[in-house]
Amino acid sequence: MVPRWRQIQEQIVASQFWKSIFRVGIPNTNRKRVLAMLGNVVLHLHPVKTRKSGVKMRYTWCAGGVTFFLFLVLTFTGLLLMFYYRPTVEYAFVDILDLREQVPFGIMREVHRWGAHAMVISVWIHMFRVFMTGSYKPPREFNWVIGVILLVLTLLLSFTGYLLPWDQLAIWAITVGSNMASATPLMGIQGPGTGLLKIGDIPLVTSTNDARFGLLGGRFVGAGALLRFYVLHCVGIPLIAAFLMAVHFWRVRKDGGISGPA
Amino acid sequence: MPVINAFKSAVNFLSAPQYLVTAMLVLLLVGLRSKLLWSKRGGLFLLVAIGGGMAISYLDPNFNAVASLPDNVPIVGMIFLVGFFFWFAMNQAYENDRRIAAGLPTIEAADSAQKVFSWPDLVYVELICLVVVMAVMIVWSIFLKAPLEEPANPTDSPNPAKAPWYFLGLQEMLVYYDPWLAGVVLPSLIIVGLMAIPYIDTNPKGNGYFTFRERKWEITLFLLGFLVLWCTLIALGTFLRGPNWNFFGPYEFWDVNKLVPLNNINLSEIIWIKMLKRSLPNFWLIREIFGLVIVGFYVAALPLLLSKTLLRRFYEKMGTPRYLIGVSLVLIMISLPIKMYLRWFFNLKYVVNIPEFAFNI
Ligand code: HEM
C-alpha cells in the first residue's frame, strides 16, 4: 500500500507533541509566516518582512551570515577539542598527536582549523561587501565600527589558537608575531624612546615588564604564554565576540534592516 | 624545454615585489576604470588567466612545494574568492552606473520596491548557504589534514619563521619599516582608520547599492589598502618570501644560502656623504635634520598645503577636522608604497635613523 504522505504529515503536525514545539504549524499562509518568524527565538533575529534586494545573494553574498555560521561551527568543534586538550607544555603537543593518530576518521581538528581560516577570509569579504555597497553610511556608521572590532577579534581568535598545537609552526609563528610587541614605543624593550625611561641608571622598562612580557606572560613563548593564549582563545575572546555579534545583529535591525537604496 | 624555462625565468623575474606591487597598482588605477574587465567576458578572461596560470604552475615542483602546504591552501582560496568578489562587485557597479546614466532605477532599487516575507524567502537562502558551507568544510577537512610539525623547540628556529598568514602583510612591511611602525603603529592606525571611514566619508551617494562612478575616490583608496597593501602583500609574503625573508620567484627553489646583496643606505648618508662630501655629524639632531624635516613636512605641512591647492575641493566640502584626519590617514597609508619605491629605486633604508633612541623611520 502506498502510504498517504500528506495525511501522515498532517497527523504529525496536528499532534499534541508537534504543536507543543511549533505553535503555528506549517507556515503556508501569510499570517502563519508572520507568526513563524515572531514565535521562534532564533528566527526573530530577522524582521518579519525583508526588503527584496536584501534577500538577494548578489547583494549581501551572505558573507556576514557565513561568518556567523562559521563562528558557530568553530564554537562547537572547539568545545569537542577541549575535551581532549590540556594547555600545558607537557601535554599540549601529545594531546593533539593523540587526536590525530587515535581517532579514526576524526576530522574535528580539521574542521576547526580550516573553519578558522575560512572565517578570517569570510570576514574580509563581508567587510569588502559592506564597503562596496556603501552600507557603512548613515545611519549604519556605528555598526561598521562594531564590525571593525569584530574583525580584530576574529584575527585575535585565530592568532591565539595558532599557538595551541605547540608544534614548531605554532611557537615560531607566535614568536614572530609577538616580537612586535617589544617594539612598542615607550613600552617595549626595543621600542623607540624606551631607553629614555629610567630613574638614575635603572631602566624602568625591562624584558620582564614590557609589553611583550604582558602579552606572553613570560620572556619568551613558554608555559605562561600557552595558558594565557588558551584562556583567551577558549573563553575570553569568544565571549566578547559573541556579545558584540549580538549587538551587531541588533543594530542591523535597529538601523533599518539590510541597507538598500533610499 | 628551453621555452618553458625561459618563460619560468621571466615569471620569476617579474614577480619580484617591485613589479608585483606596480602591476597591482596599475590594475587598480587603470583596471577600475576599464569597463571591459568587469563584463562577463572580462571576468572569464581574468578567471582563465589567473586560474589557468595557477593550475599549470602546480606542475612546477618548486611552486607546488610552497602552494600545497596545508596552511597555504586557504590563501590560494583567498586569492580566488577575493578576486571573484572584486569582479562581482564591480560588475554590478558598472551595471548600476549604466542604469543611473540612462535614468533607470538601480538593480537594488528595482528589487527593493517590495518587501518579501522573511519566511521562506530569507530563511531558505540562509539554510542553503549553511548547507553549502557545511559541505565545503567537511569535504575540505576530509581531504586536507591539518598540519602538525615537530614538537615545539625554542632553540631551533625555522627559516623562514613566518607569522600566521593573515599577518604576513605586516611582516612584509617589516622590510620597509621598523617593527615599531610595521608591527605596532601602522596596525593600530589600520584599525583606527577603518573605524573612521564612515565619519570621514561624507558623500551621501552610493548608500545601499553597488556603484563606482558615484564613489570613485572612496573605492579607489579603500581598494588600494585592501587589495594592494593587504591582500597582495599577504600573497607575496606567503608564496614569494623564503629563507631569510628573501624574495624567491614562484618557480624558484627556496635556497637557504641565496645571497642578496645588502647595500641599503640611509638618507643622512646620501646627503652628508654623497652629496655634501662630508662625514656624518656626530650629534643626531644635525645628522638627521633633513630626514626629520622631510617627515615633519609630510605628516604636518603637506595636509595643510594640499588643502589650499590640490585637495581644496575636498577641504571645503569636508570641513577642517574631517579633512585633516582623513588626509593624514591616507597619507600614512600611501607612505608605504612611497617607502617601497624609494627602497627599490634608491636603496633607501631609513629616512630618519636615530639609533640613540631606537627611532627609525
Ligand atoms: C565576526 C564578524 C562578523 C559577523 C558574524 C557579521 C555578521 C553580519 C551579518 C549576519 C549581517 C547581515 C547582512 C549580511 O550578511 O551581510 C551583517 C551586516 C553588517 N555588517 Fe557585519 N559581521 C561581522 C563583521 C563585520 C565587519 C568586519 C564589518 C565592517 C568593518 C561589518 C559591518 C557590517 C555592517 C555595516 C552591516 C550592515 C550591512 C547592511 O545593512 O547592508 N561586520 N554583519
Short mmCIF file of all heavy atoms in Angstrom, two decimals, chain A residues 122-156:
data_model
loop_
_atom_site.label_atom_id
_atom_site.label_comp_id
_atom_site.label_asym_id
_atom_site.label_seq_id
_atom_site.Cartn_x
_atom_site.Cartn_y
_atom_site.Cartn_z
N SER A 122 36.16 35.04 5.27
CA SER A 122 34.78 35.49 5.06
C SER A 122 34.52 36.83 5.76
O SER A 122 33.71 37.62 5.28
CB SER A 122 33.77 34.42 5.47
OG SER A 122 33.72 34.30 6.85
N VAL A 123 35.20 37.11 6.88
CA VAL A 123 35.02 38.44 7.49
C VAL A 123 35.54 39.50 6.53
O VAL A 123 34.90 40.55 6.35
CB VAL A 123 35.81 38.59 8.81
CG1 VAL A 123 35.51 39.92 9.44
CG2 VAL A 123 35.49 37.53 9.76
N TRP A 124 36.68 39.23 5.92
CA TRP A 124 37.22 40.23 4.99
C TRP A 124 36.26 40.46 3.84
O TRP A 124 36.02 41.60 3.43
CB TRP A 124 38.57 39.78 4.42
CG TRP A 124 39.65 39.74 5.45
CD1 TRP A 124 39.55 40.21 6.74
CD2 TRP A 124 40.96 39.20 5.31
NE1 TRP A 124 40.74 40.00 7.38
CE2 TRP A 124 41.62 39.40 6.55
CE3 TRP A 124 41.65 38.59 4.26
CZ2 TRP A 124 42.93 38.99 6.75
CZ3 TRP A 124 42.96 38.19 4.48
CH2 TRP A 124 43.59 38.39 5.70
N ILE A 125 35.69 39.37 3.34
CA ILE A 125 34.80 39.52 2.19
C ILE A 125 33.52 40.24 2.61
O ILE A 125 33.00 41.08 1.87
CB ILE A 125 34.53 38.14 1.57
CG1 ILE A 125 35.81 37.70 0.84
CG2 ILE A 125 33.36 38.18 0.61
CD1 ILE A 125 35.76 36.34 0.26
N HIS A 126 33.07 39.96 3.83
CA HIS A 126 31.90 40.68 4.34
C HIS A 126 32.19 42.18 4.44
O HIS A 126 31.40 43.01 3.96
CB HIS A 126 31.54 40.10 5.71
CG HIS A 126 30.47 40.83 6.45
ND1 HIS A 126 29.22 41.06 5.91
CD2 HIS A 126 30.45 41.40 7.68
CE1 HIS A 126 28.49 41.73 6.80
NE2 HIS A 126 29.21 41.95 7.87
N MET A 127 33.35 42.51 5.00
CA MET A 127 33.71 43.92 5.11
C MET A 127 33.79 44.56 3.72
O MET A 127 33.31 45.67 3.50
CB MET A 127 35.05 44.07 5.83
CG MET A 127 35.54 45.49 5.91
SD MET A 127 37.14 45.63 6.72
CE MET A 127 38.21 45.04 5.43
N PHE A 128 34.38 43.84 2.79
CA PHE A 128 34.51 44.31 1.42
C PHE A 128 33.13 44.58 0.81
O PHE A 128 32.89 45.62 0.20
CB PHE A 128 35.28 43.24 0.63
CG PHE A 128 35.51 43.57 -0.82
CD1 PHE A 128 35.93 44.82 -1.20
CD2 PHE A 128 35.31 42.60 -1.79
CE1 PHE A 128 36.15 45.11 -2.53
CE2 PHE A 128 35.53 42.88 -3.12
CZ PHE A 128 35.94 44.14 -3.49
N ARG A 129 32.20 43.67 1.03
CA ARG A 129 30.84 43.87 0.50
C ARG A 129 30.20 45.10 1.14
O ARG A 129 29.65 45.96 0.44
CB ARG A 129 30.01 42.62 0.82
CG ARG A 129 28.60 42.54 0.25
CD ARG A 129 27.60 43.52 0.76
NE ARG A 129 27.04 43.18 2.07
CZ ARG A 129 26.12 43.88 2.68
NH1 ARG A 129 25.64 44.99 2.14
NH2 ARG A 129 25.68 43.52 3.85
N VAL A 130 30.29 45.19 2.46
CA VAL A 130 29.67 46.32 3.14
C VAL A 130 30.27 47.62 2.62
O VAL A 130 29.56 48.61 2.40
CB VAL A 130 29.86 46.20 4.67
CG1 VAL A 130 29.40 47.46 5.37
CG2 VAL A 130 29.09 45.00 5.20
N PHE A 131 31.58 47.61 2.36
CA PHE A 131 32.17 48.83 1.81
C PHE A 131 31.64 49.12 0.42
O PHE A 131 31.25 50.25 0.12
CB PHE A 131 33.71 48.73 1.76
CG PHE A 131 34.30 50.02 1.29
CD1 PHE A 131 34.57 51.03 2.20
CD2 PHE A 131 34.51 50.26 -0.05
CE1 PHE A 131 35.06 52.25 1.77
CE2 PHE A 131 35.00 51.48 -0.49
CZ PHE A 131 35.28 52.47 0.42
N MET A 132 31.62 48.09 -0.44
CA MET A 132 31.28 48.33 -1.84
C MET A 132 29.83 48.75 -2.02
O MET A 132 29.49 49.40 -3.01
CB MET A 132 31.59 47.09 -2.68
CG MET A 132 33.06 46.78 -2.79
SD MET A 132 34.03 48.14 -3.46
CE MET A 132 33.73 47.94 -5.20
N THR A 133 28.95 48.39 -1.08
CA THR A 133 27.57 48.86 -1.20
C THR A 133 27.36 50.13 -0.38
O THR A 133 26.22 50.58 -0.24
CB THR A 133 26.56 47.79 -0.72
OG1 THR A 133 26.88 47.44 0.62
CG2 THR A 133 26.59 46.57 -1.59
N GLY A 134 28.44 50.69 0.17
CA GLY A 134 28.30 51.92 0.94
C GLY A 134 27.42 51.76 2.15
O GLY A 134 26.82 52.72 2.63
N SER A 135 27.34 50.54 2.69
CA SER A 135 26.39 50.29 3.78
C SER A 135 26.85 50.84 5.11
O SER A 135 26.12 50.76 6.10
CB SER A 135 26.13 48.79 3.92
OG SER A 135 25.69 48.27 2.70
N TYR A 136 28.07 51.41 5.16
CA TYR A 136 28.54 52.00 6.42
C TYR A 136 28.06 53.43 6.54
O TYR A 136 28.30 54.09 7.55
CB TYR A 136 30.07 51.96 6.46
CG TYR A 136 30.70 52.69 5.31
CD1 TYR A 136 30.86 54.07 5.36
CD2 TYR A 136 31.08 52.01 4.16
CE1 TYR A 136 31.40 54.75 4.29
CE2 TYR A 136 31.62 52.68 3.09
CZ TYR A 136 31.78 54.05 3.15
OH TYR A 136 32.30 54.72 2.09
N LYS A 137 27.41 53.93 5.49
CA LYS A 137 26.99 55.34 5.54
C LYS A 137 25.80 55.49 6.48
O LYS A 137 25.16 54.52 6.84
CB LYS A 137 26.65 55.78 4.13
CG LYS A 137 27.88 55.67 3.23
CD LYS A 137 27.69 56.30 1.88
CE LYS A 137 29.00 56.18 1.13
NZ LYS A 137 29.09 57.10 0.01
N PRO A 138 25.51 56.72 6.92
CA PRO A 138 24.43 56.91 7.87
C PRO A 138 23.16 56.18 7.43
O PRO A 138 22.88 56.17 6.23
CB PRO A 138 24.22 58.42 7.87
CG PRO A 138 25.50 58.99 7.39
CD PRO A 138 26.12 57.98 6.51
N PRO A 139 22.44 55.52 8.31
CA PRO A 139 22.61 55.51 9.76
C PRO A 139 23.45 54.34 10.28
O PRO A 139 23.34 54.02 11.47
CB PRO A 139 21.17 55.36 10.23
CG PRO A 139 20.57 54.44 9.20
CD PRO A 139 21.23 54.77 7.91
N ARG A 140 24.26 53.71 9.46
CA ARG A 140 24.91 52.48 9.91
C ARG A 140 26.36 52.68 10.32
O ARG A 140 27.10 51.71 10.43
CB ARG A 140 24.82 51.41 8.82
CG ARG A 140 23.38 51.05 8.50
CD ARG A 140 23.24 49.93 7.51
NE ARG A 140 21.82 49.65 7.30
CZ ARG A 140 21.02 50.40 6.57
NH1 ARG A 140 21.49 51.48 5.96
NH2 ARG A 140 19.74 50.10 6.43
N GLU A 141 26.77 53.92 10.56
CA GLU A 141 28.19 54.17 10.87
C GLU A 141 28.67 53.33 12.04
O GLU A 141 29.73 52.71 11.98
CB GLU A 141 28.44 55.63 11.25
CG GLU A 141 27.95 56.67 10.30
CD GLU A 141 26.64 57.25 10.79
OE1 GLU A 141 25.71 56.47 11.04
OE2 GLU A 141 26.55 58.48 10.93
N PHE A 142 27.88 53.31 13.10
CA PHE A 142 28.41 52.68 14.30
C PHE A 142 28.45 51.16 14.16
O PHE A 142 29.31 50.50 14.75
CB PHE A 142 27.62 53.08 15.55
CG PHE A 142 28.33 52.68 16.80
CD1 PHE A 142 29.56 53.24 17.11
CD2 PHE A 142 27.82 51.70 17.64
CE1 PHE A 142 30.26 52.85 18.25
CE2 PHE A 142 28.51 51.31 18.78
CZ PHE A 142 29.73 51.89 19.09
N ASN A 143 27.56 50.61 13.37
CA ASN A 143 27.62 49.17 13.18
C ASN A 143 28.89 48.78 12.42
O ASN A 143 29.44 47.70 12.63
CB ASN A 143 26.39 48.66 12.44
CG ASN A 143 25.96 47.30 12.97
OD1 ASN A 143 26.44 46.86 14.01
ND2 ASN A 143 25.08 46.63 12.24
N TRP A 144 29.35 49.65 11.57
CA TRP A 144 30.64 49.42 10.91
C TRP A 144 31.77 49.40 11.96
O TRP A 144 32.66 48.56 11.91
CB TRP A 144 30.86 50.49 9.85
CG TRP A 144 32.24 50.56 9.28
CD1 TRP A 144 33.30 51.24 9.79
CD2 TRP A 144 32.73 49.93 8.08
NE1 TRP A 144 34.41 51.07 8.99
CE2 TRP A 144 34.09 50.28 7.94
CE3 TRP A 144 32.14 49.10 7.11
CZ2 TRP A 144 34.88 49.84 6.88
CZ3 TRP A 144 32.92 48.67 6.06
CH2 TRP A 144 34.27 49.02 5.94
N VAL A 145 31.70 50.33 12.90
CA VAL A 145 32.73 50.37 13.95
C VAL A 145 32.72 49.06 14.74
O VAL A 145 33.78 48.46 14.99
CB VAL A 145 32.51 51.58 14.88
CG1 VAL A 145 33.49 51.55 16.04
CG2 VAL A 145 32.64 52.87 14.11
N ILE A 146 31.53 48.61 15.12
CA ILE A 146 31.44 47.34 15.82
C ILE A 146 32.02 46.23 14.95
O ILE A 146 32.74 45.35 15.42
CB ILE A 146 29.97 47.03 16.19
CG1 ILE A 146 29.49 48.06 17.18
CG2 ILE A 146 29.85 45.63 16.76
CD1 ILE A 146 28.03 47.93 17.49
N GLY A 147 31.71 46.30 13.65
CA GLY A 147 32.26 45.32 12.72
C GLY A 147 33.78 45.30 12.74
O GLY A 147 34.38 44.23 12.76
N VAL A 148 34.39 46.46 12.75
CA VAL A 148 35.86 46.50 12.76
C VAL A 148 36.39 45.82 14.02
O VAL A 148 37.37 45.07 13.97
CB VAL A 148 36.37 47.95 12.66
CG1 VAL A 148 37.88 47.99 12.79
CG2 VAL A 148 35.95 48.57 11.34
N ILE A 149 35.72 46.06 15.16
CA ILE A 149 36.17 45.39 16.39
C ILE A 149 36.01 43.87 16.22
O ILE A 149 36.89 43.10 16.60
CB ILE A 149 35.36 45.88 17.61
CG1 ILE A 149 35.48 47.40 17.72
CG2 ILE A 149 35.87 45.22 18.88
CD1 ILE A 149 34.65 47.99 18.82
N LEU A 150 34.91 43.45 15.62
CA LEU A 150 34.72 42.02 15.39
C LEU A 150 35.81 41.45 14.49
O LEU A 150 36.29 40.33 14.70
CB LEU A 150 33.34 41.76 14.76
CG LEU A 150 32.17 41.76 15.74
CD1 LEU A 150 30.85 41.74 14.99
CD2 LEU A 150 32.26 40.54 16.64
N LEU A 151 36.20 42.24 13.50
CA LEU A 151 37.28 41.81 12.61
C LEU A 151 38.57 41.60 13.41
O LEU A 151 39.23 40.56 13.28
CB LEU A 151 37.48 42.88 11.54
CG LEU A 151 38.72 42.77 10.66
CD1 LEU A 151 38.49 41.74 9.59
CD2 LEU A 151 39.04 44.10 10.02
N VAL A 152 38.89 42.54 14.27
CA VAL A 152 40.10 42.41 15.08
C VAL A 152 39.99 41.19 16.00
O VAL A 152 40.93 40.40 16.14
CB VAL A 152 40.33 43.69 15.91
CG1 VAL A 152 41.50 43.52 16.86
CG2 VAL A 152 40.57 44.87 14.99
N LEU A 153 38.81 41.01 16.60
CA LEU A 153 38.63 39.86 17.49
C LEU A 153 38.78 38.55 16.73
O LEU A 153 39.35 37.58 17.24
CB LEU A 153 37.26 39.93 18.17
CG LEU A 153 37.11 41.03 19.22
CD1 LEU A 153 35.70 41.02 19.78
CD2 LEU A 153 38.12 40.84 20.35
N THR A 154 38.27 38.52 15.50
CA THR A 154 38.40 37.30 14.69
C THR A 154 39.87 36.98 14.47
O THR A 154 40.30 35.82 14.61
CB THR A 154 37.69 37.48 13.35
OG1 THR A 154 36.35 37.89 13.59
CG2 THR A 154 37.70 36.20 12.55
N LEU A 155 40.65 38.01 14.15
CA LEU A 155 42.08 37.77 13.93
C LEU A 155 42.76 37.34 15.24
O LEU A 155 43.61 36.45 15.23
CB LEU A 155 42.75 39.04 13.39
CG LEU A 155 42.31 39.43 11.98
CD1 LEU A 155 42.98 40.72 11.54
CD2 LEU A 155 42.64 38.32 10.99
N LEU A 156 42.37 37.94 16.35
CA LEU A 156 42.98 37.56 17.62
C LEU A 156 42.60 36.13 18.01
O LEU A 156 43.42 35.39 18.54
CB LEU A 156 42.55 38.52 18.73
CG LEU A 156 43.19 39.91 18.67
CD1 LEU A 156 42.70 40.77 19.82
CD2 LEU A 156 44.71 39.81 18.70
#
